[in-house]
Amino acid sequence: MIISIVNQKGGVGKTTLAVNLAGALNTLKKSVLLLDTDPQGSMVQWQAVNPDPPFQVRHQVRPLTSRQAQAVKKEFDAVVIDSPPALENTTVKNLAVSDLTIVPISPSPLDIWSANETVALIQRMMKKNRKLSARILVYRKIPGTRIGREAKDALAEYPFTVFKTEVTQKIAAVEAMISGQTIFEYAPGSKSAKEFKAVMNEIL
Ligand SMILES: Nc1ncnc2c1ncn2[C@@H]1O[C@H](COP(=O)(O)OP(=O)(O)OP(=O)(O)O)[C@@H](O)[C@H]1O
Ligand SMILES: [Mg+2]
């Protein structure tokens, strides 16, 4: 299975989600490949702090071709692809080879509306890649708050399933990244770890 994380907007949590989803899959003893297709190379920096991650990480400057995608799907149980904050060629190619794409969105109406180009691109790509499905993940929700009615209404305008799990804003998620680890190594008992695991369980 190839899972790509996409959102045109910068700083929504794509890289953090990609690392921790790969981490969650790795806890099930699945063979996991994490692909960083962002030219910023955030994953390279993450890996530089701790050069021995529990799964394979590749900085893939050129997105996978369909032949390469077939090959990695044979080699690994799960491939997680982090995308750059843009809807250019790389994101298009990532969607072309994915089975599932996840759009992390912060639960504010403005952020939800700003995902509309991302959603439109995914819909166009679904016509070309028939196996592609898409889900929205409410991400960086403030703990203890409810999602407002406006945000719920805005989310409902998109044709994709929304994960039941909501990922909250937690300092442990930031600290794990800074220490070059996944949340499952840094704070396995944390609320944050439970959330990323719950996201994975919904996928599986
Ligand atoms: N669950 C979380 N709780 C709190 N902070 C988070 C969480 N997930 C991500 N962050 C923080 O949000 C910021 C953006 O995260 P991240 O770099 O993963 O986003 P991104 O979408 O990959 O950004 P870019 O578009 O620049 O690649 C970072 O400072 C990160 O530490
Ligand atoms: Mg990123």
Side-chain angles (χ1 to χ4, degrees):
M1 175 176 43
I2 299 185
I3 305 169
S4 57
I5 315 295
V6 304
N7 192 327
Q8 174 192 29
K9 193 171 155 79
V12 293
K14 294 179 287 294
T15 301
T16 308
L17 173 61
V19 162
N20 289 310
L21 190 54
L25 289 158
N26 179 69
T27 63
L28 297 186
K29 308 268 177 282
K30 294 202 179 280
S31 61
V32 180
L33 171 65
L34 178 59
L35 277 187
D36 175 14
T37 63
D38 186 350
Q40 290 179 106
S42 321
M43 219 80 96
V44 174
Q45 287 160 24
W46 172 74
Q47 210 189 347
V49 187
N50 173 15
D52 193 22
F55 43 78
Q56 269 206 52
V57 182
R58 285 187 203 155
H59 186 57
Q60 182 90 18
V61 193
R62 296 209 179 147
L64 294 178
T65 62
S66 51
R67 186 181 291 178
Q68 288 170 327
Q70 288 313 319
V72 291
K73 268 170 96 162
K74 283 211 186 95
E75 197 183 340
F76 296 90
D77 298 325
V79 182
V80 180
I81 308 181
D82 183 25
S83 305
L87 297 182
E88 25 89 300
N89 187 43
T90 303
T91 301
V92 171
K93 294 243 165 85
N94 288 345
L95 291 169
V97 299
S98 295
D99 302 292
L100 170 67
T101 188
I102 303 176
V103 188
I105 307 184
S106 116
S108 91
L110 281 179
D111 282 355
I112 296 169
W113 292 323
S114 80
N116 76 19
E117 282 177 60
T118 304
V119 169
L121 172 67
I122 294 170
Q123 286 185 293
R124 287 200 296 283
M125 292 307 294
M126 281 172 154
K127 296 201 177 105
K128 294 185 180 153
N129 172 6
R130 294 284 172 185
K131 63 182 186 333
L132 179 64
S133 66
R135 291 204 206 174
I136 290 171
L137 176 64
V138 172
Y139 196 87
R140 285 188 74 176
K141 192 173 117 212
I142 312 283
T145 58
R146 280 168 190 261
I147 303 191
R149 163 117 313 263
E150 291 105 330
K152 278 203 176 127
D153 290 347
L155 274 175
E157 285 191 15
Y158 290 141
F160 306 148
T161 314
V162 179
F163 280 94
K164 282 200 212 82
T165 307
E166 295 167 345
V167 176
T168 52
Q169 179 146 321
K170 287 282 180 190
I171 193 68
V174 182
E175 287 169 349
M177 289 300 282
I178 296 169
S179 32
Q181 293 177 314
T182 71
I183 195 74
F184 300 96
E185 301 150 275
Y186 181 79
S190 63
K191 174 96 192 326
S192 213
K194 289 195 182 83
E195 292 171 351
F196 287 112
K197 192 152 222 163
V199 171
M200 175 194 71
N201 285 334
E202 281 193 55
I203 295 169
L204 299 178

